[in-house]
């Protein structure tokens, strides 16, 4: 899987690192658990959820559907959704 970021392509591990970086920044966390979710993180509220989505869209040059936005409430689900995105959005 590859995602597009500007003129360079990103591998899955690179996009996962980008996801973790955005989650850490927005949720103000030092360590990102593989089990991180809106349910187990107090700072993952509705406003920060939108910031996460917008941050990922900008950083990875992708777009989420409404259904994806609604279901993307865990780190793992974000990774799964990003993996489905085409190389050239």
């Amino acid at each position: 899987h590859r995602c597009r970021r500007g003129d360079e392509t990103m591998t899955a591990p690179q996009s996962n690192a980008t996801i973790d970086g955005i989650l850490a920044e927005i949720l103000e966390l030092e360590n990102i658990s593989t089990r991180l979710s809106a349910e187990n993180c107090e700072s993952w509220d509705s406003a920060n959820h939108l910031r996460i989505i917008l941050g990922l869209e900008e950083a990875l040059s992708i777009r989420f559907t409404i259904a994806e936005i609604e279901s993307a409430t865990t780190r793992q689900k974000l990774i799964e959704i990003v993996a489905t995105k085409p190389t050239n959005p």
Side-chain angles (χ1 to χ4, degrees), residues 2-22:
R2 293 186 172 275
C3 299
R4 192 162 166 77
R5 182 179 182 172
D7 289 336
E8 59 187 78
T9 58
M10 295 179 68
T11 63
Q14 290 170 319
S15 63
N16 292 357
T18 300
I19 291 167
D20 287 350
I22 289 170

Side-chain angles (χ1 to χ4, degrees), residues 3-67:
C3 299
R4 192 162 166 77
R5 182 179 182 172
D7 289 336
E8 59 187 78
T9 58
M10 295 179 68
T11 63
Q14 290 170 319
S15 63
N16 292 357
T18 300
I19 291 167
D20 287 350
I22 289 170
L23 288 169
E25 179 181 338
I26 292 171
L27 301 176
E28 299 179 357
L29 300 172
E30 291 186 25
N31 298 307
I32 299 298
S33 164
T34 57
R35 295 183 311 268
L36 180 67
S37 73
E39 273 189 23
N40 64 25
C41 180
E42 287 183 28
S43 59
W44 193 332
D45 59 16
S46 58
N48 279 341
H49 184 70
L50 292 177
R51 288 183 186 101
I52 291 164
I53 297 299
L54 293 172
L56 290 172
E57 285 186 338
E58 183 176 322
L60 300 173
S61 299
I62 61 173
R63 292 290 171 251
F64 288 87
T65 67
I66 297 298

Side-chain angles (χ1 to χ4, degrees), residues 63-77:
R63 292 290 171 251
F64 288 87
T65 67
I66 297 298
E68 289 169 338
I69 292 168
E70 291 173 351
S71 70
T73 58
T74 69
R75 175 188 178 268
Q76 185 58 42
K77 187 63 178 177

